[in-house]
């Protein structure tokens, strides 16, 4: 039903019903924001990226051929807009904690751990993720937190499957190194 809904509203927008575009914003805004904030690490930047991405989607809606899911196409646009923002603002240090819901996915849930220990682990993971390069952080987030396959990551980001594997490998190594350094302090 989702693909049919997307197609229905896409056709309405293309036939001149601009208000029908609100369907896409309502449906995908949270997903787009999650992707943008995982890359930009700043709430205001993520909001700007999402806004730019939806403008890009609106302008490019005719070019969407339906060869992939609409959500995958939108995801790729958000990733590209996010990476463009990071490159543009490379010299600024952008700080934003990783969303608790996503960070908890990295922790191993163990009934024996107290709530304080869990919070400490989440904070360590946030600090480590903030040290990674944006592409490595993105691929690790999609693979481990969003549970995307290599093919889905490749399709969503535009990276080749080999590049995804390389970024995952480098990201794991970078994460392990940074995690070790943080824990030695």
């Amino acid at each position: 039903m989702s693909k049919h809904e997307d197609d229905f509203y896409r056709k309405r927008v293309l036939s001149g019903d601009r208000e029908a575009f609100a369907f896409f914003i309502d449906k995908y805004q949270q997903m787009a924001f999650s992707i943008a904030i995982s890359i930009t690490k700043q709430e205001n930047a993520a909001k700007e990226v999402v806004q730019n991405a939806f403008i890009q989607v609106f302008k490019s809606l005719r070019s969407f051929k339906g060869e992939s899911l609409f959500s995958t196409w939108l995801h790729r646009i958000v990733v590209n807009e996010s990476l463009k923002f990071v490159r543009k603002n490379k010299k600024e240090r952008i700080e934003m904690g990783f969303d608790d819901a996503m960070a908890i996915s990295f922790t191993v849930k163990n009934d024996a751990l107290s709530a304080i220990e869990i919070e400490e682990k989440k904070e360590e993971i946030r600090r480590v993720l903030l040290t990674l390069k944006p592409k490595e952080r993105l691929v690790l987030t999609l693979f481990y937190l969003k549970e995307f396959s290599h093919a889905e990551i490749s399709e969503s980001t535009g990276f080749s499957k080999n590049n995804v594997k390389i970024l995952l490998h480098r990201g794991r190594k970078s994460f392990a190194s940074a995690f070790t350094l943080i824990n030695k302090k």
Side-chain angles (χ1 to χ4, degrees):
M1 183 68 180
S2 180
K3 183 174 174 20
H4 297 295
E5 269 184 329
D6 290 350
D7 289 341
F8 173 78
Y9 282 98
R10 183 178 61 83
K11 288 174 185 171
R12 282 185 58 187
V13 172
L14 291 175
S15 68
D17 183 0
R18 291 175 162 241
E19 292 180 19
F21 193 75
F23 165 80
F24 295 111
I25 294 171
D26 291 341
K27 184 173 180 181
Y28 294 111
Q29 186 172 24
Q30 189 59 43
M31 181 262 312
F33 182 77
S34 294
I35 294 165
I37 202 159
S38 74
I39 297 171
T40 65
K41 299 185 283 178
Q42 185 181 47
E43 186 175 356
N44 289 336
K47 287 178 183 177
E48 181 182 329
V49 164
V50 169
Q51 182 177 1
N52 290 341
F54 276 111
I55 291 169
Q56 180 73 18
V57 167
F58 185 80
K59 289 178 177 177
S60 305
L61 202 54
R62 284 203 190 284
S63 71
F64 176 69
K65 303 297 181 203
E67 295 168 358
S68 64
L69 293 175
F70 181 86
S71 60
T72 303
W73 182 67
L74 172 64
H75 189 276
R76 189 172 188 168
I77 290 171
V78 173
V79 167
N80 288 338
E81 287 293 319
S82 298
L83 292 173
K84 186 174 16 172
F85 177 88
V86 169
R87 280 191 300 271
K88 184 177 153 190
N89 298 292
K90 200 178 202 178
K91 293 181 181 175
E92 295 177 28
R93 181 148 163 61
I94 302 169
E95 297 258 350
M96 174 66 185
F98 215 73
D99 182 319
D100 282 345
M102 292 182 358
I104 192 68
S105 297
F106 267 105
T107 64
V108 177
K109 294 179 183 174
N110 184 338
D111 292 338
L113 291 176
S114 69
I116 294 171
E117 289 173 320
I118 291 172
E119 286 303 313
E120 287 174 354
K121 289 291 181 196
K122 285 169 43 178
E123 186 54 36
E124 284 179 335
I125 290 166
R126 274 189 215 106
R127 285 195 316 260
V128 172
L129 287 171
L130 290 172
T131 67
L132 301 181
K133 293 178 182 174
K135 288 182 181 180
E136 290 175 359
R137 183 175 51 255
L138 171 64
V139 172
L140 286 174
T141 300
L142 293 175
F143 189 75
Y144 289 106
L145 301 178
K146 300 291 186 182
E147 299 180 356
F148 278 31
S149 68
H150 290 124
E152 290 170 323
I153 295 170
S154 176
E155 188 175 346
S156 294
T157 61
F159 304 153
S160 70
K161 288 181 186 176
N162 284 336
N163 197 14
V164 168
K165 290 177 185 176
I166 291 167
L167 287 168
L168 272 172
H169 177 73
R170 288 181 185 162
R172 288 181 193 118
K173 286 177 75 172
S174 298
F175 186 93
S177 296
F179 192 80
T180 302
L181 284 175
I182 286 174
N183 285 319
K184 283 184 179 180
K185 290 180 181 177

